[in-house]
Amino acid sequence: MGRSIRPASALAPGRYYHKASNRHYAVGETGVRRHQVDAGGGEINVLERSIEFLIGSGNHAATPVHRAANGRLIEMPVSWYTSVGWAMSPGYDRADHLDFRRPVTAECLFCHAASASVKETAPASIGCDRCHGPAAEHLKSPRRGTIGNPARMEPARQLDVCLQCHLETASSGFPDSILLPGREARPFRPGEKLAEYKAYFDQAGDAGRFEINHAGYGMLQSACFTKSGGKLLCTTCHDPHSARARSSCRNCHPAMNAGAHASRGPDCEGCHMPKRWTTDAVHVRMTDHRLGRTPAREAGASVTGEIIAFGAWASVDLVAEANALHQARQTGLPEHWKRTRPTAANQAALGDALARARRWDEAVPVLREVLRRNPGHVPALNALAVHAGLRGDLKEAFALLERARRADDGHPLTWINLGVTHEAAGNGREALRCYNEAVRLQPDSLEARRRREALRVVGSPERPSMNGPFQRK
């Protein structure tokens, strides 16, 4: 855990070409550089981003993280894997990946850093507090009683200490967990019930998916765990300080010390806990914690069943909330977002959905509330800029888009809408510059490319022809 965050200097430089998106990446000691190649062999759409730190110990993988000018943390599109070296980061091995636009959120940092704050200049690795609770008093006076000891907790609470980070039912596809109401500002503390902090969900019709953070998910479903009456813990086999594992199977299965099993060596893991390739981090092999009697079947296709409680980890009301959130994410319809809990993220999604539906009377108040909570919310600023442009108020549109650009100058949508606004104002040269920047930031943006080519065809950049409505995309 002490190596969950590492300095950029721990990186091995390298190069990687991603055929699906036709992008070349070069990783150096201080940054990542991306480019494409034009028909003449020249470099185009060059983009460079500095590396702030690495997430991951390097035992399996490590992903570089960039800090933008506005302080936001951005996951880099390439990661280093012990199995293959440099390749695309998890979730990026597709033609339409997010490139340098995926934010590293507080939820990400919660399990990878000592603090979940994305504003810390140099996040520290996971420390004592995560498992022992507040450690300040113990550091001042290091003696018994000045810090919590998980070993003295009841077994269920000991397990919760591990599962706060090592229980994830799915990394994508459906909402695997939801914080209980009121817990957004009150994080989990060792010793309390994890079920009173977060609800966990699964999806009906599991096709045997196997993911990088499935250790807790697999163990809780194993016969060994259920038959132990809750006595089988992560620390039964793992030393929480050194991360070393020991074979403890024969403590419960002494009969396996004799006969045919004895001849197969002292460890049971090779057959019953094999290492398997994960489906979400495609270059990583992890230990299967389902503790099967027979070899695990390969992971099947993603499932599409309803969201259900994972074990006893969620109430009926929270299962309904998870299904409503899943439906809203799938359809994007305003009516579905209205059924979700009015968190900041869900309200932003509702405002975006209403804007896309051109239901401005409803959208504008929601979007303004989003900006009240977060004045630099780029999608909300863009949506309100579109509304201003449709009303013919180009001054207001420019002002909102300038706020969006200052908040995040790497967001392609802002540059597209700036281009549209400049076209509407009769400034074709500046519009062309904005579309070029949008393409540089997102080479696969069909909207930016379409508008750029239309501007070139219709007229010279000095005197464009603005036809059609003011559009957002």
Side-chain angles (χ1 to χ4, degrees):
M1 291 183 285
R3 295 186 299 133
S4 59
I5 298 288
R6 294 189 298 153
S9 58
L11 272 177
R15 295 177 179 273
Y16 183 72
Y17 170 63
H18 188 229
K19 184 176 181 180
S21 63
N22 189 28
R23 296 174 205 182
H24 299 259
Y25 295 93
V27 184
E29 293 182 359
T30 60
V32 177
R33 184 179 189 273
R34 178 259 284 160
H35 74 273
Q36 293 182 302
V37 178
D38 63 17
E43 292 186 357
I44 58 172
N45 298 327
V46 177
L47 192 63
E48 297 186 50
R49 292 289 184 260
S50 60
I51 299 173
E52 180 84 357
F53 58 86
L54 307 178
I55 288 180
S57 67
N59 288 341
H60 300 286
T63 299
V65 174
H66 167 69
R67 186 180 294 279
N70 61 0
R72 295 173 71 245
L73 296 176
I74 304 295
E75 179 182 345
M76 297 290 204
V78 288
S79 293
W80 185 87
Y81 301 90
T82 56
S83 60
V84 297
W86 287 102
M88 301 305 286
S89 297
Y92 278 82
D93 201 5
R94 48 191 288 176
D96 59 345
H97 60 74
L98 287 174
D99 213 21
F100 296 90
R101 303 189 305 281
R102 179 191 281 177
V104 175
T105 64
E107 290 78 12
C108 300
L109 289 180
F110 179 80
C111 290
H112 288 288
S115 168
S117 173
V118 298
K119 297 180 180 180
E120 286 194 6
T121 303
S125 293
I126 294 173
C128 306
D129 299 52
R130 183 55 51 83
C131 301
H132 293 269
E137 184 180 351
H138 185 70
L139 292 174
K140 292 179 182 178
S141 180
R143 66 180 189 276
R144 180 176 292 185
T146 58
I147 194 170
N149 186 347
R152 294 190 174 90
M153 299 175 187
E154 62 176 297
R157 300 293 77 75
Q158 291 184 48
L159 187 60
D160 284 347
V161 169
C162 300
L163 295 181
Q164 63 173 311
C165 288
H166 292 283
L167 175 57
E168 183 179 63
T169 64
S171 60
S172 63
F174 65 92
D176 88 300
S177 61
I178 293 178
L179 291 180
L180 270 62
R183 294 308 303 256
E184 291 84 357
R186 190 160 56 90
F188 175 80
R189 293 187 64 169
E192 67 175 317
K193 293 181 179 180
L194 186 60
E196 294 178 354
Y197 170 68
K198 184 182 283 189
Y200 290 87
F201 311 98
D202 209 343
Q203 197 163 23
D206 174 25
R209 64 185 183 279
F210 180 65
E211 298 181 355
I212 192 169
N213 194 15
H214 264 187
Y217 177 68
M219 189 193 78
L220 292 176
Q221 297 179 84
S222 70
C224 290
F225 176 77
T226 55
K227 290 181 179 180
S228 76
K231 295 179 180 178
L232 177 64
L233 307 176
C234 300
T235 51
T236 302
C237 299
H238 293 273
D239 181 334
H241 294 106
S242 69
R244 288 193 296 267
R246 55 189 175 272
S247 182
S248 303
C249 300
R250 299 190 189 211
N251 294 338
C252 295
H253 302 281
M256 297 299 102
N257 287 315
H261 273 78
S263 64
R264 299 183 182 181
D267 296 327
C268 306
E269 293 84 355
C271 293
H272 301 285
M273 299 181 69
K275 290 187 178 296
R276 300 171 57 196
W277 295 106
T278 60
T279 53
D280 53 345
V282 295
H283 301 294
V284 174
R285 294 175 73 232
M286 299 294 290
T287 299
D288 189 345
H289 281 69
R290 292 198 188 209
L291 301 158
R293 296 190 64 177
T294 57
R297 59 196 172 102
E298 288 304 312
S302 59
V303 293
T304 56
E306 66 173 334
I307 309 301
I308 58 177
F310 177 63
W313 289 80
S315 66
V316 173
D317 289 345
L318 288 169
V319 170
E321 181 178 335
N323 273 289
L325 179 59
H326 182 53
Q327 184 181 42
R329 289 176 176 175
Q330 293 288 104
T331 66
L333 295 177
E335 282 66 33
H336 292 159
W337 281 112
K338 287 180 179 180
R339 299 171 191 165
T340 65
R341 190 193 305 179
T343 63
N346 291 347
Q347 287 298 100
L350 171 60
D352 183 77
L354 289 166
R356 290 177 184 276
R358 296 295 190 263
R359 291 161 55 175
W360 294 110
D361 289 346
E362 298 174 80
V364 169
V366 174
L367 293 168
R368 286 176 176 164
E369 175 60 21
V370 170
L371 290 181
R372 187 191 68 78
R373 293 185 179 187
N374 179 6
H377 195 280
V378 174
L381 289 167
N382 269 273
L384 287 172
V386 170
H387 182 235
L390 290 170
R391 299 194 321 269
D393 189 346
L394 298 187
K395 182 178 179 181
E396 175 68 8
F398 274 125
L400 288 163
L401 291 170
E402 181 57 25
R403 285 176 58 187
R405 190 195 64 77
R406 289 198 305 268
D408 180 6
D409 64 358
H411 202 300
L413 181 59
T414 300
W415 290 99
I416 292 173
N417 282 330
L418 274 169
V420 174
T421 310
H422 278 296
E423 279 201 79
N427 189 347
R429 183 173 295 279
E430 190 61 22
L432 186 59
R433 186 186 72 84
C434 292
Y435 295 145
N436 282 335
E437 180 63 9
V439 171
R440 188 179 76 92
L441 293 168
Q442 185 181 351
D444 63 344
S445 173
L446 297 179
E447 184 65 23
R449 289 179 176 274
R450 181 183 69 79
R451 288 188 173 277
R452 182 175 68 177
E453 294 309 309
L455 182 59
R456 287 171 173 170
V457 170
V458 170
S460 72
E462 294 292 349
R463 299 183 61 81
S465 173
M466 184 59 182
N467 297 315
F470 192 104
Q471 295 185 16
R472 182 173 174 215
K473 289 187 69 181

